[in-house]
Amino acid sequence: IPRGGGVAVIVVYTIGLLLFQHVQRHCQAPVIPLENLKLFWPLLILVPVGLIDDKCGMPARWKLLAQVAAALLAWYYGIRLDSLFGLQLPLWLSAVLTTFWITFIINAFNLIDGIDGLASGVTVISAICLGGIMLLTRNQAGALMMFCLAGACLGFLRYNIHPASIFLGDTGSMFLGYMMGCLGILTCTKMATIPALLIPLLACGKCWLGGCCSARIR
């Protein structure tokens, strides 16, 4: 079974965003801020590593190093946790927490990719939930990025449900984990309350537990 489904998801997601950026010039649609688009630069690290791992295999320590490097680059470009429980974080602690969060979410999605449809299904549900929260906080551009991600995974899910005819591979699972980690941070930064810190984790965690429990039952 081929493991190149992640490439298709990445291409479709990117095309969707580019098409919307083109359409918004002719209508009253929200524009995706340049700060949000900066989160694509760390993918220049993650995507090649995922492709190499899917093709030839790669030691886990090198993959982890690439994930940490991508997370640090995302922090450098402004995708970061600046405050915690209303307290402003020093730069070093912000870098540590942001790197840990993004790396944790990447590996969580990477680990659940062994079950047909689980990683893409979790992303669809979580992205819709977080997109709805962004709409409530009037972050329309962020909601657009979430809904585009959900749409790309929903189209792929048709071929990934049991029996799967194609897999995400490490390229796709790390991409989904990275995007959910970064977009989750962007969701939190728009909300100043303590529960906002738990929203991305709860949105993903309920789906992870449900998928793992159903897999154990089968």
Side-chain angles (χ1 to χ4, degrees):
I1 299 176
R3 293 183 294 176
V7 177
V9 173
I10 295 171
V11 170
V12 169
Y13 179 64
T14 304
I15 291 175
L17 291 181
L18 291 177
L19 286 177
F20 191 88
Q21 288 293 87
H22 175 73
V23 171
Q24 61 84 23
R25 299 176 184 175
H26 307 286
C27 60
Q28 298 296 325
V31 181
I32 299 177
L34 183 61
E35 290 75 13
N36 290 21
L37 296 178
K38 289 180 179 179
L39 63 87
F40 286 96
W41 286 112
L43 291 176
L44 296 178
I45 298 175
L46 282 181
V47 172
V49 169
L51 290 173
I52 294 172
D53 187 46
D54 289 335
K55 183 68 176 178
C56 310
M58 179 178 290
R61 62 178 179 274
W62 292 111
K63 284 200 300 182
L64 180 61
L65 182 61
Q67 294 165 3
V68 171
L72 283 173
L73 189 58
W75 176 86
Y76 174 79
Y77 279 120
I79 311 298
R80 60 181 66 173
L81 292 168
D82 288 322
S83 61
L84 187 65
F85 301 105
L87 301 176
Q88 194 70 21
L89 297 175
L91 284 179
W92 69 268
L93 185 55
S94 172
V96 170
L97 291 179
T98 302
T99 302
F100 173 79
W101 168 262
I102 295 177
T103 305
F104 170 74
I105 299 295
I106 290 174
N107 282 284
F109 274 83
N110 198 12
L111 289 174
I112 66 173
D113 189 37
I115 304 173
D116 294 351
L118 182 56
S120 50
V122 166
T123 304
V124 170
I125 298 173
S126 303
I128 291 176
C129 291
L130 294 178
I133 293 170
M134 286 186 169
L135 283 179
L136 293 176
T137 57
R138 300 184 183 277
N139 183 10
Q140 296 178 332
L144 168 67
M145 299 184 72
M146 285 292 190
F147 293 145
C148 282
L149 185 62
C153 290
L154 192 61
F156 172 75
L157 192 58
R158 175 183 176 185
Y159 306 97
N160 190 231
I161 57 176
H162 182 76
S165 59
I166 188 171
F167 292 144
L168 280 170
D170 278 6
T171 306
S173 61
M174 289 198 298
F175 167 76
L176 295 182
Y178 169 78
M179 293 301 296
M180 290 304 301
C182 289
L183 292 174
I185 290 176
L186 292 177
T187 306
C188 293
T189 57
K190 299 296 181 181
M191 306 173 67
T193 59
I194 292 177
L197 297 170
L198 301 177
I199 287 172
L201 188 59
L202 290 175
C204 298
K206 185 176 180 180
C207 301
W208 289 333
L209 291 176
C212 292
C213 289
S214 63
R216 185 178 295 272
I217 292 173
R218 290 197 296 268

